[in-house]
Each structure stands twice: as C-alpha cells, then as structure tokens.
Amino acid sequence: ADVLMMDEWISAGDANFREKAAARLQGMVERAGIVVVATHDVGLVKRVCNKVLILNGGRTEFLGSVDDWVEQSQAA
C-alpha cells in the first residue's frame, strides 16, 4: 500500500508471535510511502514516526517533529 493506516500496534500474544508480527509490520512499514499510526504509546511514536499530529475534537492541536512533541509534552 502507498498509505498504511494502523490503529495501535500489535503487542499481544507470546514472544514468538510478537516477534513474527513485528517483523511483518516492519516490512509493511518499509514498503509503504506513508504510515499513519493512531496510538497513545510514546515509545512507539519515538521508534517509528518522524512527525506527530495531535487532533482534539477534529482540530489540529500539534503538528511537528517527534522531538518537538516530546519536548512540549514533557514541559506541560
């Protein structure tokens, strides 16, 4: 897919399943032109994202780099 949209990330199951799922997802991410991930997992955002968009009531609350978002979040 040119655009891959995911709601959260697979993190359930035993270690073997998680490893296989992570490898498959990583392959999909690498082949996609754009990946959109809806998540509350800051660690995941730091690992796989290069931009962050925070929506609140359908309106943009933040749009910028991961580093800027982390910095802003920690200051709040």
Side-chain angles (χ1 to χ4, degrees):
D2 292 332
V3 178
L4 175 62
M5 298 183 77
M6 300 185 66
D7 183 10
E8 291 296 339
W9 198 265
I10 297 175
S11 60
D14 63 22
N16 188 41
F17 174 80
R18 286 193 309 268
E19 186 176 306
K20 286 181 183 180
R24 180 153 190 236
L25 286 171
Q26 187 61 40
M28 292 169 70
V29 166
E30 289 169 1
R31 288 187 302 276
I34 298 171
V35 179
V36 178
V37 179
T39 187
H40 293 94
D41 184 344
V42 175
L44 174 64
V45 171
K46 289 179 178 179
R47 282 193 316 273
V48 303
C49 299
N50 59 10
K51 289 191 178 18
V52 174
L53 170 63
I54 303 294
L55 297 173
N56 187 357
R59 296 180 185 220
T60 301
E61 191 170 285
F62 177 88
L63 175 60
S65 73
V66 174
D67 291 338
D68 288 347
W69 173 68
V70 169
E71 185 178 310
Q72 179 179 317
S73 297
Q74 290 175 343

